[in-house]
């Protein structure tokens, strides 16, 4: 099968990091390719950035459809354009927030999420509610570091995340931790070892979920809500 990982922002180094994480966990027979638009924000931090990123994301999925891609992973924790992407794609489209939340609810009773900036907290809280996990999510926390700061000073980011995970264990009684940014995926294993708590990276969770869905023969429903977009405004030429 061919899974396409799409980073909706335009930072190629972040795309490469997410791809490395995906390649570490994929099945030997799975092909994973990665792409990012070039005309979107360099990072997605809020609703305006999300809106600007969606057209480029949809264009990348349309390219994937022409290449016969079997499933897509949207490598941004806000899951931007997820429902629109499912209208365009034949195969499953997995958002890394939804995948991580589903994994967390499977391996723990209660979990907390740690993201980058405080402004992302209400966005993620709304997503958690939309995915039916409000009762399971103890808290959404932020380390108050911009997304690009994860690459600029990874050691400082790791130490901040460790401190926040320890606080979540103590104050939230969290049994698992979700990393609330695709740019954190490279730190997942070290954070798990340092804190002794299950730490979930949405990129790897989404890849394995995509493999499972494709392997079981599931595709995106084209009945009603996720049907292909209607073609409009075409003029007939005599």
């Amino acid at each position: 099968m061919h899974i396409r990982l799409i980073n909706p922002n335009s930072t190629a180094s972040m795309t490469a990091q997410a791809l490395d994480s995906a390649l570490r966990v994929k099945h030997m027979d799975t092909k994973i390719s990665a792409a990012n638009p070039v005309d979107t924000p360099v990072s997605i931090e809020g609703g305006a950035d999300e809106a600007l990123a969606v057209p480029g994301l949809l264009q990348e999925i349309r390219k994937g459809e022409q290449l016969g891609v079997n499933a897509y992973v949207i490598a941004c924790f806000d899951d931007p354009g997820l429902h629109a992407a499912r209208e365009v794609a034949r195969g499953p489209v997995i958002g890394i927030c939804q995948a991580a939340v589903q994994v967390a609810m499977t391996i723990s009773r209660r979990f907390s999420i740690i993201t980058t900036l405080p402004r992302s907290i209400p966005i993620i809280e709304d997503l958690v509610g939309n995915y039916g996990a409000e009762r399971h999510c103890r808290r959404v926390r932020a380390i108050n570091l911009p997304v690009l700061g994860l690459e600029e000073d990874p050691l400082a980011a790791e130490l901040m995340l460790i401190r926040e995970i320890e606080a979540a264990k103590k104050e939230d009684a969290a049994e698992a931790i979700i990393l609330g940014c695709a740019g954190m995926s490279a730190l997942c294993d070290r954070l798990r070892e340092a804190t002794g708590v299950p730490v979930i990276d949405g990129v790897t969770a989404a890849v394995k979920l995509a493999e499972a869905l494709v392997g079981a023969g599931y595709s995106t429903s084209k009945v009603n809500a996720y049907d292909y977009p209607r073609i409009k405004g075409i003029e007939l030429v005599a």
Side-chain angles (χ1 to χ4, degrees):
M1 70 181 74
H2 181 184
I3 297 173
R4 185 80 159 203
L5 186 150
I6 302 174
N7 170 20
N9 72 45
S10 58
T11 302
S13 58
M14 194 172 297
T15 307
Q17 182 217 245
L19 177 60
D20 286 343
S21 297
L23 292 174
R24 286 199 301 270
V25 301
K26 78 175 187 69
H27 188 274
M28 61 182 298
D29 293 330
T30 299
K31 174 184 177 181
I32 299 185
S33 60
N36 59 260
V38 296
D39 55 355
T40 56
V42 295
S43 62
I44 296 177
E45 296 169 326
D49 288 341
E50 285 185 38
L52 291 170
V54 171
L57 166 69
L58 297 181
Q59 185 59 34
E60 290 297 333
I61 291 180
R62 291 188 180 97
K63 293 177 185 177
E65 290 297 280
Q66 295 176 357
L67 296 172
V69 170
N70 303 108
Y72 302 87
V73 170
I74 299 178
C76 172
F77 203 79
D78 290 355
D79 288 353
L82 181 59
H83 295 296
R86 287 173 175 165
E87 293 182 25
V88 174
R90 175 186 56 82
V93 182
I94 314 297
I96 65 171
C97 177
Q98 185 174 15
V101 165
Q102 290 173 337
V103 169
M105 288 198 297
T106 302
I107 68 171
S108 69
R109 295 287 292 269
R110 299 291 185 267
F111 63 88
S112 290
I113 301 172
I114 302 176
T115 188
T116 50
L117 294 174
R119 69 176 299 164
S120 296
I121 291 176
I123 295 172
I124 294 173
E125 287 176 338
D126 287 349
L127 285 173
V128 168
N130 291 342
Y131 299 146
E134 281 180 305
R135 187 167 61 86
H136 301 273
C137 183
R138 287 298 194 194
R139 185 174 174 183
V140 181
R141 294 170 167 267
I143 58 174
N144 201 19
L145 182 72
V147 171
L148 296 182
L150 296 168
E151 289 188 348
E152 293 167 358
D153 195 344
L155 179 58
E158 183 175 351
L159 293 175
M160 294 168 74
L161 284 164
I162 289 173
R163 285 196 296 268
E164 206 64 33
I165 291 171
E166 294 296 344
K169 289 166 59 179
K170 181 179 179 180
E171 299 169 14
D172 309 344
E175 302 166 359
I177 298 294
I178 293 175
L179 299 179
C181 178
M184 298 175 179
S185 64
L187 300 173
C188 185
D189 291 343
R190 294 208 300 275
L191 294 172
R192 187 183 301 123
E193 293 172 3
T195 62
V197 65
V199 178
I200 301 163
D201 158 44
V203 173
T204 54
V207 167
K208 299 311 289 185
L209 182 56
E211 286 184 330
L213 291 172
V214 173
Y218 294 115
S219 58
T220 299
S221 172
K222 292 303 173 186
V223 178
N224 293 329
Y226 285 151
D227 195 6
Y228 292 109
R230 293 182 61 228
I231 299 173
K232 306 178 186 70
I234 295 180
E235 298 181 0
L236 295 179
V237 179

